[in-house]
Each structure stands twice: as structure tokens, then as C-alpha cells.
Amino acid sequence: MKRLGAWLGGAALVAALAAGIGLYVAWAPDLPVAALAPRWAPAPSRFNEVEGMRVHVRVAGPRDDRRPLVLVHGTSASLHTWEGWAAALEGTRRVVSMDLPGFGLTGPAPDADYSPARYARFVVAVMDRLGVERAVIGGNSLGGEVAWEAVLRAPPRFAGLILVDAGGFPLAPQSIPLGFRLAGVPGVRRVLEFVLPRRLVESSVRNVYGDPARVTPELVDRYVELTRREGNRRALVERFAQMRRDDPTARL
């Protein structure tokens, strides 16, 4: 019995040491915007004051385009999602993209409201700040939900709608990124505010990419570092708690 007790005690010690080493390796405290902006907000990025937030915005293309394209990213992403579209279109179209509150370099909303309706109002507020009277709006995933919600709430402001795998509809997901699943577990999500294993982020990004081969180390760097922006991880937990529960089909 003494040997068994000693063995169990040793095993517990080894497990505790392993857990401690794991936490040390994955330890990832929040990072200030000042530390992230030089890498992730080069020109034409800028910060505009909108509804009490310094919002990370990019505007590219001809100023005389009367129907700019406003693009809205998905959960845990950023305006960088649209870099390829902007590069392809900016020769002929004015392209506006932004980091939604709770994500990217914009960071958490002062009122901690991450509902689709609030995001829709925010997008219109950004348009107002930039002097965009009417636009074609497009969005991916959460951004798609925000885009169609914005069109429903302010139809005169939009000349067209582009949806890319839009959220907001009742569905049974075939696959959910591991990071999102963990963020929904009460005990685990508090830990994720202080640790962020790179392999967890990479796995989650690969899960949502149609071609996982396009997930480069720099892309994973971007998701890791922008997730660590001050307040973003707490905002993600609050965002999941405020996800749409109704069926919007009739409204649409």
C-alpha cells in the first residue's frame, strides 16, 4: 500500500508539473494596441473615433466611387480577411473594411453589446463617419449576418448585398472550431483569457478554411496576436452569450 501511495503521489506530481509546464508554454497575456499596430495596421489602415471606440478602418480605391463596397469580417477575424478582395478591386472600386468591436485592433465595445443589431448600427455609424451615404455591403459568417441585419434596418443606405457563408440562420453545424467550443465552456473560457496555445489557434483556423494549405505561419501569427489584443478574449465569450436565438427567416 505504501508503494502504491508513493506511486500515486509521484504520478500526481508529474501530472502537476506537466500541467504547469503546459500553462507556462501557452501563457499569453493581453497585448496593448500600441504593440500590435506597427505590424497589423500599416497604411492604408487608420483609426477613426466611432461611438466611443478607436476603430481600425481601411479605405482603398477611387474617392469618386459613389457606391463603395463595405466589407464585414467574421468571428475572431479582422479586416485583413478582405485584403485579397481589396487588392483585386481597388483599381476600380472604393473598398471599406473595419475591425468589428470585440475583434482585431478595435477591441471591446464600451457597452459590451455584441448583438447582431448592435453590430448593424455600428457599421452604419462607420459609414456616417467616413461620409459614405450609400454602399454595397458584403460579409462573411458573422459579418454576413451583420450585413443582412444592416440592410433590414437601414435599407436606403445600401444598394446591394453580398453574402459569403452568412451566419444568423438556424443550422446544425457539421464542424465547430475547437477554440470556439472551448470558449463556450464556463470553466475553460476563463483560462483562455490568459493562455492561448498556438496549436489551438492553428487548428481552429484550418477548420474554417476551404483549403487548409492556405493557412500560413504568418496567418496563424495574425490570429494569435489579434486575439491577444486587450479585451478581445473576454469580448468573444460575451459575443457567444449574445448569439442570435431566433429564426429570422420571416423577416428576411
Side-chain angles (χ1 to χ4, degrees):
M1 291 295 293
K2 288 184 177 180
R3 288 186 177 182
L4 178 59
W7 183 88
L8 290 174
L13 178 60
V14 170
L17 287 172
I21 292 171
L23 285 173
Y24 175 78
V25 172
W27 183 255
D30 280 350
L31 295 173
V33 173
L36 297 168
R39 183 176 187 184
W40 302 115
S45 278
R46 66 197 199 199
F47 290 86
N48 289 100
E49 293 292 332
V50 180
E51 299 186 332
M53 293 172 281
R54 292 188 70 246
V55 179
H56 181 210
V57 176
R58 282 187 184 174
V59 181
R63 293 178 175 270
D64 60 354
D65 183 359
R66 298 183 62 188
R67 293 291 181 268
L69 188 61
V70 174
L71 300 174
V72 190
H73 66 77
T75 299
S76 289
S78 61
L79 57 74
H80 304 87
T81 293
W82 304 107
E83 286 181 329
W85 284 39
L89 295 170
E90 65 182 2
T92 56
R93 298 298 305 273
R94 188 180 183 200
V95 181
V96 177
S97 56
M98 73 216 70
D99 288 347
L100 291 174
F103 304 115
L105 295 175
T106 296
D111 58 4
D113 185 349
Y114 303 103
S115 63
R118 178 68 180 83
Y119 276 135
R121 294 195 301 271
F122 168 80
V123 169
V124 173
V126 171
M127 292 170 58
D128 290 341
R129 178 69 175 79
L130 299 176
V132 176
E133 295 182 4
R134 200 158 186 252
V136 173
I137 187 170
N140 163 242
S141 191
L142 166 62
E145 179 179 9
V146 173
W148 62 250
E149 186 71 50
V151 172
L152 286 178
R153 290 176 174 275
R157 303 297 300 271
F158 300 102
L161 174 63
I162 303 168
L163 301 180
V164 184
D165 192 23
F169 303 92
L171 54 82
Q174 296 180 352
S175 179
I176 301 176
L178 178 59
F180 289 2
R181 280 182 279 158
L182 292 176
V185 179
V188 176
R189 63 193 184 197
R190 294 306 302 272
V191 176
L192 291 179
E193 291 182 29
F194 306 99
V195 300
L196 190 66
R198 182 183 175 86
R199 293 179 66 179
L200 171 65
V201 175
E202 183 174 358
S203 170
S204 297
V205 175
R206 286 183 178 277
N207 179 273
V208 299
Y209 260 66
D211 179 6
R214 297 179 68 89
V215 179
T216 64
E218 182 180 51
L219 183 68
V220 177
D221 283 349
R222 189 179 83 210
Y223 275 91
V224 169
E225 293 187 15
L226 294 183
T227 297
R228 292 178 61 188
R229 192 269 190 218
E230 287 176 324
N232 276 357
R233 282 175 282 187
R234 174 66 60 86
L236 178 62
V237 170
E238 293 170 343
R239 160 63 196 150
F240 282 143
Q242 298 173 36
M243 288 181 68
R244 185 184 298 276
R245 303 286 185 250
D246 63 312
D247 182 346
T249 305
R251 291 176 61 218
L252 292 170

